[in-house]
């Protein structure tokens, strides 16, 4: 028996509390049975997860499939957006079909959107992206480039569904959302080194009942009327050859939020043919504070 | 300033200022329980060399705390942190004894410091390394380990990613 096994549980919990949480899940779990017990114990994780609904905390102890650790991971360390690396969204007529690839192209000005792997005229964004729940962690290197007229892409996210994917019951998820937990949307935008460009980000939180209108071809944003709360970045100017972060955290909003709608918009400033407009990379939507 | 005597399990006596000894909540409550006149506090769970190390911490911290007037707050915290860092550079074996003693004597600052020390040993290592570091034996069967991996699938980092670290 090793000496570390002699330490009482309370001390082991205090020690694990000082190790980065992801390392606890990935490393400490696999060391020994004792470590496994402690590293997934509620004592360690309870105060890392804020404002969970009462119904959930009451039931949590009895559930084998769901633990505080899993909730912590699901809420704060996974991306609620699908297709964060812009696969297969070149066809602008996609708006006619349900967005199987996550994104709907709502404006296709100039030569339209162009996914680039790696991005042209700009170094790839070198950050660790949050994975989707249940997917392995991978590093994405692509970007979505806009053209010489306004291009717009949007993604509606059913937050209720995402919470259920993370193991909550509908009732628990609704209570959690109604308590107004912090939700953060972050996206990186950048411009080619040789062409100035503009970008705009809009995030809307609504009750999810409104049917989203199809391709409008106009620049106005028609979904804001159903919004419970929303945020507009305003016109952003990209820095040539560099990535910048656009990030917003919603908190203390009123009850009833069930859906998030993200809108990204971009174009270049020189009216050049091709895809010289602003580029987007690593869009993320998750609970908790901005992690950058 | 009153001095008291702390007696370790192997019978060695240590004379310390009461102020320093009272950083330990256990000693403090023991002193309150015992009569006024007693000056010897027996500590049956702590051995001589660990107690010496703990008292080193206590005296240093009270001494620094008392120097309120001649240095600024920021400077004092920095000095204390630097001292703590040097203090915790001990062998793994000593670290366990220290953490057990800090837990028994209930010295919050020291306990935190020791936990930080042990956490540093875990950080950034693979499970195999951690086992080696603490002299633990792998008590999982292969299917059992596979099972944990599968149930924790929601969070497990790719093997390749981990190898890169």
């Amino acid at each position: 028996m090793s000496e570390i096994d002699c330490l009482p549980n309370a001390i082991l919990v205090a020690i694990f509390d000082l190790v980065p949480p992801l390392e606890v899940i990935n490393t400490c779990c696999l060391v020994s049975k004792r470590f496994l017990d402690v590293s997934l114990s509620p004592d360690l994780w309870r105060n890392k997860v804020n404002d969970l609904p009462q119904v959930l905390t009451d039931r949590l102890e009895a559930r084998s499939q769901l633990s505080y650790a899993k909730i912590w991971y699901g809420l704060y360390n996974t991306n609620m957006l699908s297709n964060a690396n812009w696969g297969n969204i070149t066809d602008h007529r996609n708006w006619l079909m349900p967005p199987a690839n996550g994104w709907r192209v709502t404006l296709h000005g100039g030569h339209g959107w162009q996914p680039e792997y790696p991005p042209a005229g700009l170094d790839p964004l070198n950050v660790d992206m949050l994975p989707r729940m249940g997917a392995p962690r991978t590093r994405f290197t692509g970007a979505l480039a806009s053209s010489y007229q306004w291009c717009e892409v949007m993604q509606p996210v059913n937050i209720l569904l995402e919470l259920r994917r993370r193991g909550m019951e509908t009732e628990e998820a609704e209570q959690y959302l109604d308590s107004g937990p912090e939700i953060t949307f972050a996206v990186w935008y950048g411009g080619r080194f040789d062409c100035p460009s503009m970008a705009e980000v809009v995030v809307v939180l609504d009750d999810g009942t409104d049917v989203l209108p199809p391709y409008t071809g106009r620049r106005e944003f028609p979904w804001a009327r159903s919004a419970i709360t929303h945020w507009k970045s305003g016109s952003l100017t990209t820095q040539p050859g560099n990535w910048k972060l656009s990030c917003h955290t919603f908190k203390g909003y009123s009850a009833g939020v069930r859906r998030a709608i993200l809108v990204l918009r971009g174009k270049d400033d020189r009216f050049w043919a091709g895809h010289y407009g602003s580029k987007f990379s690593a869009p993320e939507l998750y609970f908790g504070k901005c992690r950058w | 300033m009153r001095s008291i005597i702390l007696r370790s399990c192997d019978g060695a006596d240590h004379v310390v200022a009461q102020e320093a000894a009272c950083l330990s909540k256990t000693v403090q409550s023991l002193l309150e329980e015992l009569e006024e006149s007693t000056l010897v506090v027996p500590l049956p769970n702590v051995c001589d060399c660990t107690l010496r190390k703990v008292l080193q911490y206590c005296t240093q911290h009270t001494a620094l705390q008392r120097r309120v007037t001649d240095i600024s707050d920021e400077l004092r915290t920095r000095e204390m942190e630097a001292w703590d860092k040097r203090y915790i550079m001990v062998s793994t074996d000593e670290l366990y004894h220290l953490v057990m003693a800090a837990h028994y004597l209930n010295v919050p600052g020291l306990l935190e410091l020791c936990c930080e020390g042990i956490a540093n040993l875990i950080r950034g290592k693979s499970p195999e390394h951690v086992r080696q570091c603490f002299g633990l034996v792998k008590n999982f069967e292969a299917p059992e380990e596979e099972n944990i991996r599968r149930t924790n699938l929601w969070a497990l980092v790719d093997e390749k990613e981990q190898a890169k670290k």
Side-chain angles (χ1 to χ4, degrees):
Chain A
M1 186 143 152
S2 158
E3 305 224 343
I4 201 161
D5 275 333
C6 306
L7 298 179
N9 272 1
I11 293 187
L12 267 186
V13 166
I15 292 169
F16 284 179
D17 203 30
L18 296 166
V19 177
L22 267 180
E23 273 187 41
V24 173
I25 299 173
N26 279 304
T27 312
C28 297
C29 274
L30 292 169
V31 171
S32 70
K33 283 182 183 163
R34 175 84 196 289
F35 268 45
L36 174 71
D37 282 347
V38 177
S39 58
L40 291 181
S41 73
D43 292 339
L44 178 59
W45 296 93
R46 199 173 287 129
N47 49 12
K48 289 190 172 42
V49 198
N50 304 318
D51 43 59
L52 283 183
Q54 193 61 42
V55 270
L56 183 57
T57 47
D58 287 348
R59 294 178 196 164
L60 209 52
E61 313 287 337
R63 280 206 220 158
S64 56
Q65 288 301 309
L66 195 62
S67 60
Y68 277 104
K70 186 173 177 182
I71 289 197
W72 172 85
Y73 181 75
L75 292 183
Y76 308 133
N77 288 278
T78 53
N79 198 351
M80 287 193 277
L81 294 176
S82 30
N83 192 12
N85 201 29
W86 323 109
N88 186 33
I89 64 165
T90 42
D91 186 1
H92 72 281
R93 280 171 295 270
N94 263 348
W95 58 264
L96 280 175
M97 291 181 285
N101 53 31
W103 299 96
R104 302 187 196 192
V105 177
T106 44
L107 259 184
H108 210 68
H111 285 146
W113 288 109
Q114 168 92 36
E116 297 172 334
Y117 314 92
L122 174 68
D123 288 332
L125 180 66
N126 195 19
V127 298
D128 262 321
M129 263 185 75
L130 296 179
R132 285 276 288 169
M133 189 72 190
R137 305 187 140 241
T138 37
R139 178 166 293 205
F140 295 108
T141 52
L144 187 68
S146 55
S147 191
Y148 58 88
Q149 282 170 334
W150 281 105
C151 296
E152 185 184 272
V153 74
M154 64 91 97
Q155 179 168 154
V157 178
N158 187 338
I159 306 179
L160 202 61
L161 194 71
E162 289 297 326
L163 283 176
R164 290 180 51 189
R165 281 170 57 109
R166 283 155 181 74
M168 289 195 198
E169 300 289 333
T170 309
E171 178 199 0
E172 295 158 358
E174 279 175 349
Q175 274 202 21
Y176 180 63
L177 283 175
D178 287 348
S179 69
E182 289 183 336
I183 297 183
T184 299
F185 175 69
V187 67
W188 293 81
Y189 63 97
R192 286 179 64 105
F193 69 94
D194 51 359
C195 182
S197 54
M198 288 138 72
E200 230 178 295
V201 180
V202 182
V203 188
V204 178
L205 299 184
D206 70 2
D207 59 10
T209 48
D210 230 22
V211 177
L212 296 177
Y215 185 69
T216 56
R218 280 181 289 120
R219 228 203 103 193
E220 284 86 48
F221 176 63
W223 307 293
R225 62 195 152 89
S226 66
I228 289 171
T229 178
H230 73 280
W231 174 75
K232 289 181 184 177
S233 69
S235 192
L236 304 167
T237 316
T238 55
Q239 198 183 345
N242 261 322
W243 291 102
K244 281 203 279 187
L245 176 72
S246 173
C247 174
H248 182 71
T249 304
F250 291 97
K251 54 186 158 194
Y253 43 87
S254 45
V257 169
R258 298 291 177 266
R259 177 173 64 179
I261 304 167
L262 317 158
V263 184
L264 305 175
R265 222 178 267 147
K267 76 177 185 99
D268 79 37
D269 224 5
R270 290 280 184 272
F271 213 67
W272 286 354
H275 304 278
Y276 286 82
S278 50
K279 302 169 197 291
F280 292 95
S281 190
E284 286 173 348
L285 181 71
Y286 50 92
F287 287 95
K289 292 183 173 56
C290 184
R291 65 194 189 99
W292 302 112
Chain B
M1 173 61 65
R2 215 161 80 113
S3 287
I4 55 168
I5 296 167
L6 300 180
R7 183 166 292 164
S8 64
C9 63
D10 32 12
D13 287 348
H14 295 265
V15 184
V16 278
Q18 188 179 356
E19 195 189 355
C22 282
L23 273 189
S24 152
K25 300 273 159 57
T26 312
V27 171
Q28 195 178 12
S29 57
L30 273 175
L31 273 178
E32 279 162 16
E33 269 173 45
L34 295 169
E35 288 149 38
E36 269 297 301
S37 54
T38 9
L39 291 174
V40 180
V41 182
L43 299 168
N45 285 359
V46 189
C47 72
D48 182 41
C49 67
T50 316
L51 186 59
R52 188 171 301 148
K53 186 89 183 161
V54 173
L55 291 178
Q56 201 184 337
Y57 174 91
C58 292
T59 26
Q60 180 70 18
H61 271 239
T62 37
L64 270 171
Q65 214 113 51
R66 219 177 310 137
R67 285 171 57 194
V68 187
T69 44
D70 58 330
I71 44 173
S72 70
D73 265 11
E74 192 194 345
L75 196 67
R76 194 173 62 217
T77 340
R78 213 177 315 146
E79 205 171 305
M80 228 184 245
E81 270 169 17
W83 189 86
D84 282 351
K85 216 175 200 174
R86 251 176 297 132
Y87 172 84
I88 207 65
M89 282 210 232
V90 291
S91 70
T92 326
D93 240 24
E94 238 173 300
L95 206 54
Y96 293 133
H97 291 136
L98 213 48
V99 81
M100 290 300 278
H103 181 61
Y104 168 69
L105 291 171
N106 200 355
V107 191
L110 181 59
L111 188 60
E112 204 173 301
L113 187 62
C114 294
C115 288
E116 182 71 45
I118 298 182
N120 275 339
L121 295 174
I122 299 178
R123 247 177 246 159
K125 290 195 174 135
S126 72
E128 190 51 47
H129 272 137
V130 175
R131 248 177 253 135
Q132 269 171 18
C133 176
F134 293 115
L136 288 167
V137 189
K138 181 176 181 177
N139 53 4
F140 290 129
E141 303 294 316
E144 217 172 336
E145 188 180 343
E146 196 46 45
N147 197 19
I148 299 165
R149 274 177 193 279
R150 202 162 324 113
T151 42
N152 280 13
L153 204 60
W154 39 269
L156 281 176
V157 172
D158 269 7
E159 298 276 295
K160 278 182 219 150
E161 192 87 353
Q162 196 137 49
K164 250 188 279 166
K165 281 184 201 162

